[in-house]
Amino acid sequence: MRPEMTAIAPGTLPKSSPRGSAARARLLRGLLPALSLALVLMAIAWLNPRAISYFGFNLMLNLAIPIALATIAQMFVIAGNELDLSIGTFVGFVGCVTATWLRDAPLLGILVLLGSIGVYALLGALIHLRNLPSIVVTLGMSFVWQGLAILVLPKPGGKAPDWLLSIMSFKPPYIPFPILAALIIAAVVHFGLMRTSYGVILRGSGGNAAALRRAGWSLLKTKIVLFALTGLFGVLSGMALIGITTSADANIGNGYTLLSIAGVILGGGEFVGGRVSPIGAVIGALTLALAASPLLTFMHIPPDWQVAANGAILIIVLAARVLISRRER
Amino acid sequence: MTSVRTLLEKPWLWSFVGALVVWLATVAFTGGYGAGGMVTAALSLAVFTVIVGVGQMFVITLGPGNVDLSLPANIGLASAVAMKVMGGSDSMIVVGMLAALACGAAIGAVNYLLIWALRIPPIIATLSASFIIQSVDISYGRGLQIKPPPGFADFTNWQVLGIPVLAMLTVIFTIGAALALQRMIYGRSVLAIGQNIRAAWLAGVHVGRIRFLTYTLCGALGGIDGALLAGYFRGANVDIGNEYLLASIAVVVIGGTSVAGGKANVPGVWGAGLFLVLLLTMLNTFGVSAGVRLVLTGLIIVGVITAAGGEKAVR
């Protein structure tokens, strides 16, 4: 096989190897996100054993909940073969609303947040009806959310509502809260998207839209639902973030756009074909959250090179995936 | 009559119309004051968007999912490399430009290497690469306070009859790019790959080689852009390329290039580049706050793309 050919069409080539070994490789591939998380955890345990404790995890996974929620949000659009380049600034916008209106005028705050989910649903409809590239539409929207965030909160500040602060500082016995929250998020979304019949339809809209349409399902509706779910989880992410940081800043979520895309891909998701995994996405987000700073701090990597180390981790995990996929064939 | 209709069907026309409307609105607001200066400023700033926009256009034309997210990091690093090599002396200008070009081309080549070797989506490949480049830049450019050589700074700001020389050169460059796209085997291959990669491969197009060339070309253009930006703004900076991620994608799409690939448009990149710069000028002239400016920019981008419409479904 010519190398160019394998480069062009990953996953579309017929799998000709015996079924047993293919299934094993597929299982291995499914486990890869968990394996990479385990690897990062082992590295941390080896470098600093004291970090593997109740308080250690609480500290290290501090920001994991909002990252996981943003990753799930991104996963929904990716399931429909779209991409949301505005989720980061949207999380920032939600954060600003949470730290101001949601505290001072709860009713207005709730209305604004619900309205923003509605905007997401409208975007889904617009993208479907006018057959627009989601990359560009969400790119434009990223300016809009950023601008609105600045208008709501011109200077960093504000304060999270007390009930939100108490939720996010919840200390359950034995299991650190971020881990418990990640388990709940993964379980709920996994059930909704992978185990319900409409979840299958939603994923099918990314897998084979033409087949769904012929079977009588409304693609407009699936797109609206997927985008609304993205909006919903974006709102949850922004609120969780403010519950942790206690105050907001218009730029607070900007890094989340790329982080969320990377999390979905690390978790085994693919850009096309409706192939996503909620559990994988949450694991991918946790891996990124851990790899982002605690691991690198323990490895004494100078701050200059921490971003590079993030990129390197992404590349290593993806390289491992290629090695496994090669066996799958 | 038919010629008018064929002209109206050109997708790139709308970006120029948009630029003209925005310009007229601004001129009407200022009462004609600064109308010419605005065009000069718009031309000199649009140049930087157009150069990376053309590179991004070739990459996007390769087909769905192809996009270079490493451009901002690339521009930042190349600007530092150029300034360091030039070292403030006029005699090193050409060497510095070549160094920036080589730096950008190397980044583009690495991008494609990651895409090819790891078979990962270009978005993720260029994203991970950009993380690494960013770190290299931060580490390499730390405390770098080198001014561009006076000759280079003057060259990037040089105007003849109110028209920036850099803009004239870029027009020549874009004409070359348009010829390469429509009349050369390379450009036709890029279009063929974007339309149907498998069919292109079966037809004997060297898919791997063309994709490699395209990513390298885009990287090289990013490198040149970085050097020119450092000259124009009189100094290199890690964040100098940050706005060009969104801008490069936006000009490509507003300019009538298909995001699905296989259909590219060079004149539209110019129209869209001018449109974006003039839009910013207009909002600044109106004296709106930063927040309102961002909201309006975003809404106008969404509005333009909605009005221009997506591609009609082929299949």
Side-chain angles (χ1 to χ4, degrees), chain B residues 166-190:
Chain B
L166 213 51
M168 298 184 206
L169 292 175
T170 310
V171 167
I172 296 172
F173 158 72
T174 41
I175 291 173
L179 285 178
L181 181 74
Q182 301 295 351
R183 294 271 177 273
M184 281 169 61
I185 293 175
Y186 165 71
R188 307 301 297 183
S189 307
V190 169

Side-chain angles (χ1 to χ4, degrees), chain B residues 8-267:
Chain B
L8 282 178
E9 277 166 5
K10 298 279 184 210
W12 52 267
L13 190 73
W14 298 107
S15 56
F16 282 99
V17 171
L20 188 69
V21 168
V22 171
W23 180 70
L24 287 176
T26 320
V27 172
F29 183 80
T30 61
Y33 176 76
M38 216 171 352
V39 176
T40 307
L43 278 172
S44 13
L45 284 175
V47 160
F48 305 111
T49 319
V50 168
I51 294 177
V52 281
V54 168
Q56 190 74 274
M57 182 199 73
F58 275 103
V59 170
I60 287 179
T61 305
L62 283 175
N66 281 290
V67 63
D68 186 353
L69 294 186
S70 70
L71 275 175
N74 179 353
I75 292 173
L77 181 60
S79 71
V81 167
M83 289 306 102
K84 207 159 195 170
V85 170
M86 288 181 195
S89 93
D90 279 344
S91 57
M92 294 296 280
I93 291 177
V94 176
V95 185
M97 284 297 287
L98 286 177
L101 179 87
C103 169
I107 289 170
V110 169
N111 277 338
Y112 182 68
L113 197 73
L114 287 175
I115 296 166
W116 171 76
L118 301 186
R119 272 181 278 153
I120 46 182
I123 293 184
I124 292 294
T126 53
L127 175 66
S128 350
S130 87
F131 284 156
I132 296 178
I133 303 161
Q134 219 177 331
S135 276
V136 173
D137 188 20
I138 292 172
S139 169
Y140 175 78
R142 179 172 292 283
L144 196 70
Q145 287 291 337
I146 305 176
K147 293 258 170 269
F152 187 57
D154 290 345
F155 167 72
T156 48
N157 287 284
W158 186 21
Q159 295 171 6
V160 174
L161 301 173
I163 302 172
V165 173
L166 213 51
M168 298 184 206
L169 292 175
T170 310
V171 167
I172 296 172
F173 158 72
T174 41
I175 291 173
L179 285 178
L181 181 74
Q182 301 295 351
R183 294 271 177 273
M184 281 169 61
I185 293 175
Y186 165 71
R188 307 301 297 183
S189 307
V190 169
L191 290 170
I193 292 172
Q195 279 154 20
N196 189 331
I197 190 164
R198 192 166 161 75
W201 184 70
L202 291 171
V205 173
H206 296 284
V207 171
R209 198 183 302 163
I210 297 291
R211 280 175 30 119
F212 171 75
L213 273 178
T214 306
Y215 276 93
T216 312
L217 173 80
C218 182
L221 288 174
I224 294 178
D225 211 46
L228 293 175
L229 273 170
Y232 187 79
F233 289 110
R234 297 174 198 271
N237 181 340
V238 176
D239 299 323
I240 204 166
N242 278 6
E243 61 179 290
Y244 291 96
L245 174 59
L246 302 189
S248 68
I249 301 175
V251 291
V252 171
V253 179
I254 294 176
T257 294
S258 159
V259 186
K263 203 173 107 219
N265 195 302
V266 179

Side-chain angles (χ1 to χ4, degrees), chain A residues 216-327:
Chain A
W217 294 93
S218 160
L219 290 178
L220 175 65
K221 194 176 155 203
T222 58
K223 195 122 291 178
I224 291 177
V225 170
L226 283 172
F227 270 81
L229 283 168
T230 300
L232 172 66
F233 277 86
V235 166
L236 293 177
S237 170
M239 289 173 60
L241 181 59
I242 298 309
I244 295 165
T245 59
T246 70
S247 69
D249 165 10
N251 295 315
I252 198 165
N254 286 6
Y256 279 32
T257 300
L258 299 182
L259 219 51
S260 64
I261 300 175
V264 174
I265 301 302
L266 265 184
E270 283 174 25
F271 281 117
V272 285
R275 283 180 158 201
V276 291
S277 150
I279 296 177
V282 169
I283 293 178
L286 291 184
T287 313
L288 281 174
L290 280 176
S293 60
L295 175 66
L296 306 176
T297 313
F298 293 146
M299 283 170 82
H300 301 292
I301 290 178
D304 280 7
W305 292 96
Q306 293 205 350
V307 194
N310 267 330
I313 288 170
L314 256 180
I315 291 175
I316 291 169
V317 172
L318 293 168
R321 189 149 97 184
V322 171
L323 286 178
I324 292 169
S325 317
R326 215 165 257 168
R327 280 181 39 194

